[in-house]
Each structure stands twice: as C-alpha cells, then as structure tokens.
Amino acid sequence: MSRKSSSIPLTDYMYSKAGRNRIPISGTFELSPVCNFSCRMCYVRRTREEVEKSARPIMSLEEWLRIAEEARKAGMLYLLLTGGEPFLWPDFWTLYEQLIRMGFLISINTNGSLIDDAAVERLKRLPPRRINITLYGAGDRTYEELCRTKGVFSKVDHAITALHDAGIQVKLSCSLTPYNAVDLEKLVQYSEEKKLVLQVTTYMFPPVRRETTGIIDNNRFTPEESASYRLKCLRLQYGEKEYDTFLKKIEEGYAPPLGLDESCADPLDGKIRCRAGKACFWITWDGWMTPCGMMNEPRADIRTDSFAKAWEDLVSECDKLHTSGLCTHCRNQEICHPCAAIAQAETGKITGTPEYFCRTVQEMKRIAHERWHS
Ligand code: SF4
Ligand code: SF4
C-alpha cells in the first residue's frame, strides 16, 4: 500500500530534499524551561531558582541571534520557538521581532495563558506562521488538576479567540492524561466550535530532560489506556467511518501514526528515518544542539562551536544510530512507528525496545479484532 498520496505538498518536498542533503531547514529554539504552569507530565519544566543554580547558564539574546544568523546561512527556514513558556522569557519580543525580520517562518508553542490583547496586537503587526496552543482541559478545574494552576482556562480561551479574530493561524494540541481525560469530549467540541485543528496525544514521554537519574513515570496512561483513548479520540473527531477504516488498517498491518507527523517516526531499516539530525535540530535553553527535544544524546555544544560545526557533528553522530533489532524485524512496526527518541526515553538507550509501545500496539490490535470478530 502506498504510504503517501501522489501529490506531495511543497513543505514535504522541501523537508525530504533537505533531509537527503543534510540541510538544517528546520530548527527549534527552546528559550527557557521556566513556566507559569506545573504540569504533572512535563518533560522540561524547571523553576527560576533551578535555572539559576544550573551548571550551564540560560542562553542570552545575543547568543540566540548569533545562532539564528549562522543557521540562516546553513539553510534554516522554519523555526519553532518553545519553552517552558516562551512568552515568559524576558527577551522574547526583541528576539521574536528580529527573527521575523530575518525572514524565518516562525511557529510558537505556548500554553496561551500570557497572550493578552497587547500581545495579540504585536503578533498581528509581525505575524508568525502559526501559534500552537496546548489545551489542558475545558475548564479551570481540570487545569488545576493537571497543571496545578488556578483560573487560567478563561485566559487561554480569550487568547485563542483573539488570535483567531486577528487572522493569526492557531493550532490546538492536547496532551491527554488520566487527569484531563474526563474533558476529552468537551475539548473536541470546543475545537469544532472554534473551527480549529486539535491534535490529541495520548503518549507522554518519560521526563528524561527533567529527571536524568533514571527512567521515571510521569502520571501517564497505561499503554492499554493510551491505545484505547487514542482510538476513542479518532472516533470522536472523525466519525465511525474513519474509525472503522483505521481499525481495518491495523488488522492489515499498516496504519499511519496518529498524532504524529508521518515522517517523524519510522525506523523501518533500523536507522533513524525521521528528520531529526538530517533536516531538523533542537537547541536547548542551556545551549546544546540535539536531534530532537526528547533526546539528550547525541549532542553538540552550540556555545563553544559554530553552528556549522555543531550541525556537522550532530549529523555524523545521528547517521551512526541504530534502533532495536527487535523493532527492525517486528511485523507490527508499520502500526507502531517507534522512533529513536522513544526508545531512548523509555529504555535509556536507543537500541532498547520500548515495551510501552509493544503493549499499546497489542491493545489496538485487540480492539480492532474485537470490532470485526466478536
Ligand atoms: S505548560 Fe508546557 S512547559 Fe509549562 S509545565 Fe505544562 S507542559 Fe511544561
Ligand atoms: S516497539 Fe514493540 S511492537 Fe513496536 S516495532 Fe518495536 S518490537 Fe514491534
């Protein structure tokens, strides 16, 4: 079965060409791990005090601008600004406005709670390509449960409406966990009323960026719950017909990744086949260049190295990476779509087999089987 439709959008074409030629077309600048929320499943959040005590200081405005200039020369076009909460970073507006003037197509990941009317006006003057707002619930109570923050839903709702009215493209995402699953129907309904795309993720990475001493759990679903909510969400958002088509694909052994970019997780030949370290990079708040935000290794020091040198080293290390032999030969891999970052986060090593994913896949297959054969 063909994996993609015959018409390849321009962006896909550019990414795939950049990947073949190892051009860093897309970068992420993680400006700060500080956030005004304290979500239970967060993989990155730190307090200001923790940042101040860190062995490596937080990157400065001048450092980001130097990197941006060098990255532009190397081919960067798409740029994602993220955090923590990026709007909390003190030099956010100065950096943003300069980056826009440099010609980058910028997206911003945010929890939306700090985007007031003044911020919307500023964004309207120099619009980003897109604002990605994570919705954690459909009311204050759920935000309190999951994000341990009070009275913010109305602020986030106001920001979404104001941005949309200002003509700025907004995409909603939701990290679904046992603490906000109760709101799933309401969230789907909310996105439909607002006519906005909502991307729901039921898989939460272990917080390896926050907790480096071992693989710890982060209040996430069991693999079986994750599978069941993933399918429930598909059914709610796209209806019975799409749901049945997807379950048929699971039975046939090929189903596209849900909630992930299709090219983002697919080690069919045991190598990393996603764009990380081939066309994409991530720079952490303390100055490491990594293939993606969920991986601590391989990494290059962007503080001491030029962008070109750091990218060259990263590409060379990523080319050597192999995922688990078990995954490579597994007949479920076209349903599962594991990736190097998942293997590393779940098992501590890229060659490990992420058992969480094996169980998720088994549960999806069980649900599909039950649908047709009982
Ligand atoms: S809003 Fe995002 S960065 Fe902030 S604590 Fe929650 S998950 Fe972490
Ligand atoms: S994680 Fe498990 S189910 Fe998925 S491809 Fe690897 S071995 Fe197969």
Side-chain angles (χ1 to χ4, degrees):
M1 187 184 297
S2 162
R3 309 201 75 240
K4 297 217 171 199
S5 68
S6 51
S7 66
I8 301 171
L10 181 63
T11 313
D12 270 11
Y13 171 76
M14 285 169 64
Y15 268 105
S16 101
K17 192 165 178 195
R20 281 197 304 278
N21 295 305
R22 304 295 192 263
I23 293 169
I25 193 171
S26 175
T28 300
F29 289 1
E30 179 188 274
L31 302 179
S32 162
V34 176
C35 188
N36 54 333
F37 290 8
S38 180
C39 302
R40 293 172 190 271
M41 72 301 171
C42 184
Y43 67 93
V44 68
R45 182 184 181 276
R46 295 200 186 180
T47 62
R48 279 186 216 281
E49 295 69 37
E50 285 167 336
V51 171
E52 273 159 26
K53 280 191 209 142
S54 164
R56 286 168 67 96
I58 190 163
M59 296 265 280
S60 68
L61 173 66
E62 293 68 33
E63 285 175 305
W64 285 120
L65 286 172
R66 189 263 297 169
I67 292 164
E69 193 51 58
E70 292 179 15
R72 180 167 67 166
K73 286 187 189 132
M76 183 171 81
L77 174 62
Y78 300 102
L79 174 57
L80 173 68
L81 301 179
T82 191
E85 173 47 51
F87 286 96
L88 267 184
W89 186 60
D91 291 315
F92 174 82
W93 288 108
T94 314
L95 179 67
Y96 172 75
E97 287 169 4
Q98 296 218 41
L99 293 171
I100 283 276
R101 291 196 175 95
M102 288 166 82
F104 298 118
L105 300 176
I106 297 179
S107 304
I108 304 170
N109 280 357
T110 171
N111 63 35
S113 64
L114 301 172
I115 304 181
D116 57 15
D117 291 343
V120 173
E121 273 310 307
R122 273 181 108 155
L123 290 165
K124 201 172 158 185
R125 277 199 295 277
L126 290 171
R129 178 170 172 248
R130 193 170 72 201
I131 304 253
N132 306 315
I133 295 187
T134 309
L135 263 185
Y136 293 102
D140 284 346
R141 209 170 153 169
T142 314
Y143 269 82
E144 258 177 62
E145 273 290 301
L146 181 63
C147 311
R148 296 177 276 208
T149 182
K150 286 190 193 247
V152 292
F153 176 72
S154 54
K155 288 186 191 158
V156 177
D157 177 40
H158 180 81
I160 291 168
T161 308
L163 287 165
H164 193 50
D165 291 349
I168 295 165
Q169 196 188 339
V170 176
K171 181 179 167 196
L172 302 178
S173 52
C174 173
S175 305
L176 206 66
T177 73
Y179 295 89
N180 60 350
V182 65
D183 278 1
L184 179 59
E185 277 92 347
K186 285 187 196 154
L187 288 167
V188 170
Q189 198 184 343
Y190 179 89
S191 69
E192 285 170 355
E193 280 165 16
K194 300 274 178 192
K195 298 191 172 45
L196 293 173
V197 172
L198 170 70
Q199 182 175 317
V200 181
T201 309
T202 61
Y203 170 66
M204 297 299 121
F205 274 84
V208 284
R209 297 276 313 283
R210 223 178 50 201
E211 185 55 66
T212 50
T213 50
I215 309 297
I216 61 162
D217 203 353
N218 57 339
N219 302 297
R220 61 183 177 174
F221 288 132
T222 64
E224 290 73 23
E225 289 165 345
S226 170
S228 152
Y229 273 107
R230 203 189 289 188
L231 294 174
K232 181 175 177 183
C233 190
L234 173 78
R235 198 174 195 173
L236 276 171
Q237 289 190 286
Y238 301 103
E240 288 300 302
K241 201 167 158 224
E242 284 295 318
Y243 177 69
D244 282 346
T245 305
F246 190 79
L247 291 185
K248 279 252 181 297
K249 284 185 175 171
I250 287 179
E251 288 232 297
E252 286 163 5
Y254 166 68
L258 281 179
L260 276 179
D261 187 317
E262 192 166 346
S263 61
C264 187
D266 203 0
L268 287 180
D269 60 358
K271 290 202 135 208
I272 295 187
R273 292 189 53 176
C274 71
R275 294 163 178 165
K278 291 191 178 74
C280 306
F281 64 89
W282 185 291
I283 297 178
T284 64
W285 60 270
D286 55 352
W288 294 108
M289 181 193 274
T290 61
C292 98
M294 303 298 158
M295 296 173 83
N296 289 323
E297 302 279 347
R299 66 184 186 180
D301 193 342
I302 194 76
R303 274 207 152 106
T304 53
D305 292 342
S306 67
F307 180 90
K309 165 86 170 56
W311 175 247
E312 192 187 323
D313 289 352
L314 194 74
V315 165
S316 145
E317 288 304 310
C318 285
D319 278 346
K320 292 182 209 152
L321 296 178
H322 277 258
T323 46
S324 142
L326 248 186
C327 293
T328 311
H329 300 294
C330 176
R331 66 197 157 91
N332 290 329
Q333 60 173 289
E334 286 270 23
I335 309 172
C336 178
H337 307 282
C339 75
I342 288 165
Q344 194 182 64
E346 291 289 338
T347 70
K349 51 188 194 297
I350 286 169
T351 50
T353 303
E355 198 214 332
Y356 187 101
F357 267 53
C358 302
R359 282 175 55 192
T360 305
V361 166
Q362 285 310 330
E363 180 65 5
M364 288 205 295
K365 287 176 74 171
R366 189 194 65 74
I367 294 170
H369 186 82
E370 220 169 59
R371 177 81 169 162
W372 307 118
H373 306 286
S374 61

